[in-house]
Amino acid sequence: MSDATAPLYAIKAELFKCLAHPTRIQCLEVLSTAPEHRATVATLLAVTGVEASPLSQHLASLKSAGIVSSSREGNAVTYELTEPLVAELLVVARAMLRNRLDRNASQLAAADDLPDLTHQARSTGQVER
């Protein structure tokens, strides 16, 4: 890594560190699918089921990372994705996860097709239950 690229990798690492919480991912997915990538705190509370104080902390982390911005309209606070590419990042991440789960499912199915060793191992005294 060169001195010139080190800050870029550090910034990218901070971005991924900020994303490393299920509630934050869920909030970003809600914003990604919402009209104009915007949703009120009330909507985020209802969807995530997280209490107001922890949700506020998660949203503050996303905001400090520059991933979301907020605005107040009367008593309602609305959050918005600052960069629509975040929505694409989430789509790619979900596709990667689905591929991994599909591979695991096929491995589990293949394991289910293996011969049953329990009977053979019991008859030789190798397995105790």
Side-chain angles (χ1 to χ4, degrees), residues 23-86:
T23 299
R24 293 181 199 146
I25 297 294
Q26 190 175 17
C27 287
L28 292 173
E29 287 188 353
V30 170
L31 293 172
S32 294
T33 58
E36 299 179 21
H37 299 299
R38 296 170 49 94
T40 63
V41 170
T43 298
L44 295 170
L45 284 167
V47 173
T48 63
V50 175
E51 296 292 326
S53 179
L55 181 65
S56 177
Q57 292 172 5
H58 289 299
L59 292 169
S61 292
L62 293 170
K63 189 174 178 179
S64 70
I67 299 170
V68 300
S69 62
S70 65
S71 60
R72 180 176 292 279
E73 300 163 11
N75 289 335
V77 177
T78 300
Y79 280 84
E80 179 178 1
L81 289 179
T82 58
E83 178 57 66
L85 286 173
V86 170

Side-chain angles (χ1 to χ4, degrees), residues 62-129:
L62 293 170
K63 189 174 178 179
S64 70
I67 299 170
V68 300
S69 62
S70 65
S71 60
R72 180 176 292 279
E73 300 163 11
N75 289 335
V77 177
T78 300
Y79 280 84
E80 179 178 1
L81 289 179
T82 58
E83 178 57 66
L85 286 173
V86 170
E88 291 182 41
L89 178 65
L90 294 170
V91 168
V92 170
R94 185 177 285 189
M96 289 174 59
L97 177 61
R98 290 189 62 83
N99 287 342
R100 186 167 151 199
L101 292 172
D102 286 344
R103 281 194 303 274
N104 289 344
S106 65
Q107 290 170 343
L108 287 172
D112 287 343
D113 292 338
L114 293 172
D116 181 16
L117 299 177
T118 308
H119 175 66
Q120 182 181 7
R122 282 190 183 148
S123 65
T124 62
Q126 299 288 328
V127 174
E128 289 185 30
R129 288 193 178 219

